[in-house]
Amino acid sequence: MTVADLTVERVAAAVERLLPEAVPVRPVGVLRKGRSHASWMLDSGLGRLVGKVGLHGDRAVALRRLDEHRRVWEHGVPVPRLLGFTAASSVVGDRLLIVAEYLTGQDAEDSRSLPSGVMGEAMYSAGAALAGLHGVPVECFGDSDSGLDRGFATWGAAVSSRVELLARAYSERGGSLDWEVEGLVAAGLVLLGRLADEVSVVVRPAVAHLDVYLPNILLDAEGCFRALLDLEHVRWVDPVMDFVKPAMWMFEDQPWWAERFVCGYRSVGGWPQLWSERLAVATGLELLTGVNYWTRVRDLSMREDYVRRLRVWVRSDGVDGVWPATAW
């Protein structure tokens, strides 16, 4: 079965087989397609559902992240409730199938036109929700595969392992990078390892979302925060990692959102020690990972954006990060 053969009717039938208590499951329509999955809206005996089908990726890792999604929901973090999942549903071509509750509302990307006060309160609540996620207990930094199994005792060791993996990935990529970008990457990997060692003593592991941006923040009809969506990148890392993408993709042109986000976070979780130094590590890790990824998937626009940011980060010795100065 090809991806083109995946219809909402097939997904409804797959959900009925996985969750007999949801019968009858009726098709409603397409939600959205990501890089690794496609999602559909369904009506059922359990209420409105989301049926999500994996298109590619490591299923063992995906299942581990689904287990973690369920665990953080059980700790009261505002994320959609998972009702069931299986590594291989024959009804959808032996692909990964996930069923979750459907939460009404719209993502924050579609809510930019809301009054400034409403969006400010949404950012405050999103920051508080993120602090709640970071408060879910973990014992160590995650492994190099799923990022959710026992891996490293210190952040320095975790980053060192990541540097080795990235160095290998860039080496295997051969001549796909020009000489200037190769030089940036080489210098960046050395800088990243050094900066991580310098802050490692104060960093404690946390559950991190790692994809916090407007499409993954759900608001209700009045613009109030409802949930964090799509925990497909969740890992046990330094929680400061979760401030890089918001800074890059949410706050650059809306620094006052960052102020509200920070206030919401602090209302629940305090504030990380050595914030600026840890943000420098988090920024470098995101950028070096991103240049490799966007090069591999041939997204030239995103690649150039990440290369531009990496150039600034390396030349400033990690000092010029992405967080809006006006947030302070």
Side-chain angles (χ1 to χ4, degrees), residues 10 50 64 67 88 132 157 175 230 285 313:
R10 281 188 180 275
V50 175
R64 185 66 186 87
D67 284 335
D230 289 348
L285 188 52
W313 182 80

Side-chain angles (χ1 to χ4, degrees), residues 59-74:
R59 296 190 201 189
V61 170
L63 291 173
R64 185 66 186 87
R65 289 178 177 163
L66 290 166
D67 284 335
E68 187 69 354
H69 181 138
R70 181 171 280 168
R71 188 175 78 94
V72 302
W73 178 84
E74 290 170 350

Side-chain angles (χ1 to χ4, degrees), residues 6-306:
L6 288 174
T7 63
V8 66
E9 290 78 16
R10 281 188 180 275
V11 175
V15 171
E16 284 194 338
R17 182 173 295 184
L18 179 65
L19 296 175
E21 64 271 30
V23 174
V25 179
R26 299 175 296 275
V28 175
V30 176
L31 285 175
R32 66 177 179 176
K33 181 178 178 180
R35 292 182 179 273
S36 62
H37 69 270
S39 301
W40 292 262
M41 186 192 302
L42 310 163
D43 274 331
S44 79
L46 297 177
R48 188 148 287 188
L49 307 176
V50 175
K52 181 181 291 188
V53 176
L55 303 180
H56 56 78
D58 188 318
R59 296 190 201 189
V61 170
L63 291 173
R64 185 66 186 87
R65 289 178 177 163
L66 290 166
D67 284 335
E68 187 69 354
H69 181 138
R70 181 171 280 168
R71 188 175 78 94
V72 302
W73 178 84
E74 290 170 350
H75 276 80
V77 180
V79 296
R81 182 185 179 191
L82 292 180
L83 300 178
F85 50 86
T86 179
S89 169
S90 61
V91 185
V92 289
D94 290 323
R95 290 182 171 85
L96 174 71
L97 175 68
I98 306 161
V99 185
E101 66 174 339
Y102 175 81
L103 298 178
T104 58
Q106 61 181 5
D107 66 52
E109 181 68 42
D110 295 328
S111 305
R112 285 179 172 270
S113 61
L114 287 171
S116 61
V118 174
M119 283 300 290
E121 286 308 301
M123 291 299 107
Y124 182 98
S125 297
L130 187 63
L133 177 68
H134 293 167
V136 175
V138 296
E139 296 182 357
C140 64
F141 296 97
D143 64 310
S144 299
D145 294 323
S146 71
L148 295 169
D149 288 313
R150 183 170 293 277
F152 304 94
T154 69
W155 183 228
V159 174
S160 177
S161 174
R162 186 63 185 163
V163 166
E164 290 179 10
L165 291 173
L166 283 169
R168 190 178 310 132
Y170 279 113
S171 176
E172 292 170 352
R173 198 158 301 287
S176 59
L177 301 177
D178 61 53
W179 67 268
E180 191 241 355
V181 177
E182 285 185 354
L184 278 176
V185 166
L189 290 172
V190 173
L191 176 60
L192 177 59
R194 175 172 64 80
L195 294 177
D197 285 340
E198 291 174 358
V199 301
S200 185
V201 68
V202 304
V203 183
R204 300 294 178 266
V207 182
H209 186 288
L210 295 184
D211 204 21
V212 178
Y213 73 129
L214 294 177
N216 286 339
I217 296 174
L218 183 69
L219 309 182
D220 66 17
E222 286 72 43
C224 297
F225 174 83
R226 287 209 70 185
L228 297 172
L229 304 177
D230 289 348
L231 274 72
E232 295 182 358
H233 300 278
V234 65
R235 282 178 171 266
W236 299 339
V237 294
D238 181 356
V240 173
M241 288 292 302
D242 264 338
F243 291 87
V244 178
K245 283 186 179 178
M248 291 169 58
W249 298 348
M250 288 167 54
F251 301 148
E252 276 195 327
D253 60 349
Q254 299 285 358
W256 65 276
W257 286 3
E259 297 175 19
R260 298 303 297 154
F261 192 86
V262 166
C263 287
Y265 190 95
R266 282 178 157 159
S267 73
V268 174
W271 199 244
Q273 293 179 274
L274 297 182
W275 154 257
S276 297
E277 295 86 348
R278 289 164 66 178
L279 184 65
V281 176
T283 300
L285 188 52
E286 170 64 27
L287 295 177
L288 287 159
T289 301
V291 170
N292 177 60
Y293 175 78
W294 299 120
T295 300
R296 177 165 58 84
V297 300
R298 299 181 181 180
D299 188 325
L300 297 182
S301 176
M302 289 300 296
R303 177 188 181 278
E304 289 309 306
D305 181 59
Y306 269 59

